[in-house]
Amino acid sequence: MADKPIVARMDSTNILTDSYIALSKAPDVWNSNLNIALRHITRACANALGVERASVWFVDEDLSEMECLCLYREDINGFEQGVKLEARSFPRYFTALNFERVVDASEARSDIRTKEFTESYLLPLNIYSMLDATLRKEGKVCGVICMEQVGQVRKWNHAEAEFAVAIAELLSQLILFYSMRDRESRFRALFEGSGDCIFIVRGSVIVECNEASARMFRCDKNEIVGCTPIKLSPKQQPNGSDSNKEAFKKIQSALQGHRLTFEWTHQRADGQEFDAEVTLNRIIIEGDYCVMGTVRDISDRRMAENALLESQKQLEYRATHDSLTDLPNRESLHQTASYAILNASQSMQKMAVLLLDLNRFKDVNDTLGHRIGDELLRQVADRFSRLIETENADLYRLGGDEFAVLLYGIDDPEQAVEFAQKLNKSVKEPIEVETMQLEMGASIGIAMYPENGENSHALLRCADVAMYYSKTHGQAYAFYDANYDSHSTKRLVMLADLNVAMRDNHLLLHYQPRIDLATGKCTGCEALLRWHHPQHGMVPPGDFIPLAEMTEIIHPLSHWVFRTALKQVRNWMDLGHEIPVAINLSARNLVDLRFPNQVAEMLKEFSVPNHLLEVEITESALISDPDRAMQVVADFHRMGIHMAIDDFGTGYSSMSYLKKLPVHTLKIDRSFVMDMLSDEADAVIVRSTIGLAHSFGLAVVAEGVENDETLQALRNLQCEQAQGFHISRPVPVEDFNQWFAKQT
């Protein structure tokens, strides 16, 4: 059949609402049998949404298989049934059903939740978009209603997703209704076998309840039957409302045909309170309208949610704080400094960055051991913390024996000198560690804003140069001076050599594969830049990429990386292999509004499908200009390019960015994965991160996998993918091809 356009409707919300209401009252739905009802609903849903296919599927208890109960096809104006799907063939889709209420896959062939249907189902049937909503029974998935758009992409809106959820709820009720009406014995078994409290209200009293009700409220059934529903309510809700009146209103509303689901605080006969989820439905018994209610104890779920929230808070706190001293860390310094610099520029004030390094600390560690060294650092941190209480300043530990201070609102550089002297005096006072009196000193470097730099990275680098000068010259402190910067000439030479390297092909990419933990197969690779210098050999990326990011050379360098990687993807395609490649995006590129179009041109040049490119960004890269960065990310998303958050957990405000960013993948930083088997804190973070990612519908890649035990542990946690030295180091393309050939 010919593709038909998707026509925008002026009032789609009202139309869908009217359609739902009509379905909920239709005689063919409630007064026939389940098969006729499903045919009526699927046809009506297809017409309401303007899609060519609508179907209802039943999912078995262990979520391993689903069977089509009814499929409406517009092209034949008829129905089919009986097709079965196994979870082992479509693991990501089944996982999405378990964690999500709605799977709104506008681009089903590339959406991570549905793309595994592409070859066997979507392409043969010309399906572009899927909108699925889960039917649930006792909190577990029991079925799916699926709407499918044929011929072109359908961007599902909020009203359509809500409509799908409402229909799923209606179907859940419908299945229960027919089960109750047509199979009384089965109903009785479910009624009495349920672990939830189930009660029936007729008139104004409870006429029946199951044994679980007595167990839940710790009383006899006879104490419930014959009472008003108030028996199952506490005297007052936490919000202060009168629960007697609230319960009466809800029962009356249910009697009028409104299905209600709400959370309520109940009270057992012994006075103990518990959190519950209450559902009220209108049913018909012997011609009378009654209300069937279920009460589910959700105390355990609440505890789990609170535990997950606490784990997330710990993860975010750990990402911005030093574990030894509990001080804010380097990432936190850059975040705070960005806002402080903005305020200072507006108020025309100065700001100082003081970088402090303890003298002779290495001798303490080497002579007395790391335990003494750690205690020494904690005491120094405590002294400095008390010192800044009366100052307009913030204290940070950057690692090792390095501390930094941001000093705000300075009118005269002498204020920075005075504070540096206080720091030095504080650290010189004897420190008692396990009955030993230790005397320390410090070397302090000072950089001033705006004289020495306009961002935190530049200021910290200048402070580091000044600190090194003070240490090598035996001074307590030193201001930054360009003459001290012995790296200036080397930096200029390196940047000049980098330009030559791009022109003369001294740069190359290494590729590190990642695998699907369920199958062990390669799912793609990450492209990593390497520089083979004619005189100096292999130059570590950390020696030249930060320099490039401080200059305009980062733009042609990023272009080189993307072009080279996409050209290689084309080469693999010509050999019959579709191998997705992930590329790290520089913070400078992330605020360049032209860059998405430039990437689009490169994809077109090499005829590489957009879904074979994944762009990795870090949370910290969003900080400098969040608005422009979010616009660039949105442009990549509209192009159908997969986005991944790299080094998750080491940035800032992880949860807030997960809510905002249209990402497909989350990569857990190697610092958490490497020690997850020996460090319980890291293990908790990894578990919580995987659960958090799945709740947002994201795939998870674990970095830094260095042994088979870690790989198995991640597989048990349902992590989808992994990369690390245990799988393969980053290798030249020839070695990668050999590795890939062995996998296939």
Side-chain angles (χ1 to χ4, degrees):
M1 60 182 290
D3 294 342
K4 62 178 184 179
I6 300 172
V7 181
R9 302 180 181 181
M10 294 297 292
D11 195 1
S12 62
T13 301
N14 289 338
I15 291 173
L16 294 176
T17 300
D18 292 344
S19 298
Y20 170 76
I21 293 173
L23 273 175
S24 67
K25 297 180 179 179
D28 284 349
V29 172
W30 298 103
N31 299 328
S32 54
N33 58 57
L34 184 60
N35 186 49
I36 293 175
L38 293 181
R39 291 189 172 201
H40 187 86
I41 288 174
T42 52
R43 188 197 301 268
C45 287
N47 291 336
L49 286 172
V51 297
E52 292 79 3
R53 297 165 62 90
S55 55
V56 177
W57 300 70
F58 176 76
V59 180
D60 61 6
E61 289 187 1
D62 59 358
L63 206 63
S64 64
E65 185 180 77
M66 57 194 296
E67 179 179 359
C68 181
L69 301 182
C70 180
L71 164 65
Y72 170 73
R73 290 177 50 186
E74 184 192 52
D75 58 340
I76 62 172
N77 193 26
F79 301 89
E80 297 176 355
Q81 65 182 50
V83 175
K84 294 184 179 181
L85 300 176
E86 294 186 347
R88 63 184 179 182
S89 300
F90 308 98
R92 290 175 183 153
Y93 175 73
F94 275 75
T95 299
L97 293 183
N98 199 28
F99 284 96
E100 302 183 39
R101 195 67 177 88
V102 178
V103 176
D104 49 348
S106 294
E107 297 184 3
R109 301 178 186 183
S110 59
D111 192 297
I112 193 167
R113 301 166 295 181
T114 57
K115 70 177 183 180
E116 54 198 3
F117 288 109
T118 300
E119 297 299 329
S120 62
Y121 185 75
L122 301 179
L123 283 175
L125 296 175
N126 199 26
I127 296 171
Y128 280 78
S129 304
M130 296 173 62
L131 175 62
D132 294 5
T134 56
L135 286 59
R136 294 184 180 262
K137 176 183 177 183
E138 300 178 1
K140 295 178 62 177
V141 176
C142 65
V144 181
I145 180 166
C146 177
M147 271 68 82
E148 297 166 338
Q149 183 71 53
V150 174
Q152 58 183 311
V153 171
R154 173 73 170 267
K155 299 295 184 181
W156 307 111
N157 59 38
H158 180 72
E160 292 164 343
E162 288 294 319
F163 176 72
V165 171
I167 295 299
E169 292 286 349
L170 177 64
L171 284 165
S172 298
Q173 296 178 50
L174 189 67
I175 293 171
L176 178 62
F177 171 79
Y178 279 105
S179 175
M180 291 176 62
R181 193 190 72 171
D182 300 330
R183 300 182 182 182
E184 175 63 25
S185 60
R186 182 180 176 189
F187 166 75
R188 180 57 53 186
L190 290 172
F191 186 81
E192 292 300 342
S194 173
D196 297 334
C197 159
I198 303 177
F199 61 92
I200 296 175
V201 179
R202 191 172 189 176
S204 60
V205 299
I206 298 173
V207 296
E208 191 169 2
C209 69
N210 62 355
E211 290 294 338
S213 303
R215 292 194 299 270
M216 183 175 292
F217 288 92
R218 296 176 184 169
C219 61
D220 293 331
K221 285 179 60 175
N222 295 334
E223 296 180 59
I224 299 176
V225 175
C227 297
T228 66
I230 294 170
K231 175 69 177 179
L232 305 183
S233 304
K235 294 182 179 180
Q236 192 175 62
Q237 282 293 294
N239 60 10
S241 63
D242 187 328
S243 64
N244 295 349
K245 293 180 180 179
E246 290 289 327
F248 179 77
K249 288 179 181 178
K250 293 181 185 300
I251 293 293
Q252 293 302 310
S253 179
L255 281 171
Q256 294 172 12
H258 302 292
R259 183 182 188 278
L260 304 179
T261 298
F262 53 92
E263 293 187 359
W264 195 272
T265 302
H266 279 290
Q267 192 174 54
R268 309 187 203 274
D270 59 7
Q272 181 187 18
E273 291 187 347
F274 65 97
D275 295 319
E277 181 181 80
V278 182
T279 301
L280 301 178
N281 288 288
R282 185 176 70 180
I283 60 175
I284 299 176
I285 298 180
E286 298 176 352
D288 291 338
Y289 283 132
C290 302
V291 172
M292 184 178 75
T294 62
V295 180
R296 169 169 296 171
D297 188 336
I298 60 171
S299 301
D300 290 342
R301 190 182 81 189
R302 281 287 177 81
M303 290 177 62
E305 289 172 349
N306 292 337
L308 179 61
L309 180 61
E310 185 61 30
S311 295
Q312 172 62 22
K313 289 179 179 178
Q314 292 178 8
L315 186 151
E316 292 184 356
Y317 185 84
R318 180 171 177 179
T320 56
H321 286 75
D322 170 54
S323 59
L324 178 65
T325 63
D326 214 30
L327 290 175
N329 62 13
R330 185 184 300 269
E331 192 63 44
S332 184
L333 180 147
H334 289 304
Q335 171 70 15
T336 304
S338 297
Y339 294 110
I341 287 172
L342 178 62
N343 293 333
S345 64
Q346 293 173 347
S347 61
M348 303 299 289
Q349 288 186 315
K350 295 181 182 294
M351 185 177 82
V353 176
L354 288 78
L355 184 64
L356 180 147
D357 182 89
L358 298 179
N359 297 334
R360 301 181 302 279
F361 179 75
K362 186 176 185 302
D363 296 336
V364 173
N365 257 350
D366 293 345
T367 306
L368 303 178
H370 290 281
R371 183 169 55 84
I372 300 296
D374 287 349
E375 178 59 28
L376 175 64
L377 291 172
R378 279 190 284 265
Q379 291 201 35
V380 169
D382 186 59
R383 287 188 181 184
F384 289 166
S385 297
R386 292 197 301 269
L387 189 62
I388 68 166
E389 287 177 354
T390 57
E391 303 286 344
N392 187 12
D394 287 320
L395 173 67
Y396 306 84
R397 183 189 176 213
L398 306 188
D401 60 337
E402 281 191 344
F403 294 84
V405 175
L406 296 181
L407 194 59
Y408 312 113
I410 294 178
D411 298 319
D412 188 327
E414 282 300 314
Q415 292 175 260
V417 172
E418 292 175 4
F419 188 70
Q421 291 172 336
K422 291 180 182 179
L423 287 171
N424 214 327
K425 180 181 178 182
S426 173
V427 80
K428 280 186 174 181
E429 295 177 2
I431 300 174
E432 183 174 338
V433 181
E434 296 188 5
T435 71
M436 290 180 288
Q437 295 285 333
L438 302 177
E439 295 186 6
M440 306 296 296
S443 301
I444 303 174
I446 307 172
M448 299 294 299
Y449 170 82
E451 292 90 336
N452 304 139
E454 296 186 352
N455 59 61
S456 58
H457 294 278
L459 291 171
L460 198 59
R461 191 195 69 80
C462 291
D464 184 64
V465 171
M467 184 270 292
Y468 182 77
Y469 182 87
S470 72
K471 183 178 287 288
T472 56
H473 288 74
Q475 299 176 188
Y477 65 88
F479 280 93
Y480 172 76
D481 187 314
N483 294 323
Y484 301 160
D485 193 350
S486 61
H487 301 288
S488 296
T489 302
K490 293 181 180 178
R491 184 171 64 250
L492 292 174
V493 171
M494 181 169 287
L495 289 173
D497 287 350
L498 192 54
N499 270 312
V500 175
M502 283 189 287
R503 185 187 66 209
D504 294 349
N505 294 321
H506 295 157
L507 298 177
L508 66 155
L509 292 182
H510 282 190
Y511 298 90
Q512 184 173 31
R514 65 187 188 191
I515 62 169
D516 187 308
L517 289 179
T519 65
K521 299 296 184 182
C522 178
T523 59
C525 60
E526 182 176 359
L528 298 164
L529 182 60
R530 298 293 186 263
W531 180 7
H532 190 274
H533 196 284
Q535 285 80 41
H536 306 300
M538 293 298 291
V539 181
D543 286 358
F544 67 91
I545 291 180
L547 294 178
E549 289 182 329
M550 295 172 62
T551 68
E552 291 303 311
I553 199 174
I554 190 62
H555 297 296
L557 185 62
S558 296
H559 277 247
W560 186 93
V561 171
F562 273 78
R563 282 184 58 82
T564 304
L566 292 176
K567 182 179 180 181
Q568 182 56 54
V569 173
R570 179 69 261 171
N571 291 340
W572 284 327
M573 291 176 65
D574 293 339
L575 295 173
H577 307 305
E578 283 200 352
I579 304 177
V581 65
I583 304 175
N584 292 287
L585 193 64
S586 164
R588 295 283 297 276
N589 297 131
L590 193 56
V591 295
D592 184 357
L593 300 180
R594 303 166 299 174
F595 196 68
N597 288 333
Q598 293 166 350
V599 172
E601 292 174 3
M602 287 185 267
L603 286 164
K604 183 178 180 181
E605 176 185 354
F606 294 107
S607 298
V608 172
N610 292 13
H611 70 271
L612 292 183
L613 172 63
E614 184 176 85
V615 175
E616 296 184 1
I617 60 175
T618 60
E619 301 157 86
S620 57
L622 294 159
I623 292 173
S624 61
D625 192 341
D627 292 337
R628 288 171 67 91
M630 293 295 285
Q631 184 176 340
V632 170
V633 169
D635 288 342
F636 277 124
H637 178 65
R638 281 192 291 270
M639 291 165 58
I641 292 175
H642 285 197
M643 304 294 296
I645 296 182
D646 196 15
D647 302 335
F648 182 80
T650 63
Y652 192 82
S653 301
S654 302
M655 179 71 82
S656 64
Y657 284 125
L658 276 184
K659 291 179 179 178
K660 296 177 183 178
L661 292 172
V663 297
H664 302 79
T665 305
L666 182 151
K667 301 187 74 174
I668 306 178
D669 186 64
R670 66 194 307 273
S671 62
F672 301 125
V673 176
M674 289 175 61
D675 297 325
M676 64 176 287
L677 298 182
S678 58
D679 188 326
E680 181 58 27
D682 284 343
V684 169
I685 289 174
V686 171
R687 286 197 301 270
S688 301
T689 302
I690 292 173
L692 180 67
H694 286 167
S695 70
F696 281 94
L698 305 179
V700 182
V701 178
E703 299 181 299
V705 177
E706 296 194 355
N707 54 63
D708 192 64
E709 291 79 7
T710 302
L711 201 66
Q712 183 58 46
L714 291 166
R715 188 177 290 113
N716 293 338
L717 293 174
Q718 296 186 334
C719 178
E720 285 90 347
Q721 301 177 60
Q723 68 183 71
F725 287 179
H726 178 65
I727 300 163
S728 172
R729 292 175 177 270
V731 292
V733 66
E734 297 80 9
D735 295 340
F736 177 87
N737 289 340
Q738 293 179 11
W739 179 91
F740 184 80
K742 293 178 181 178
Q743 305 307 304
T744 56

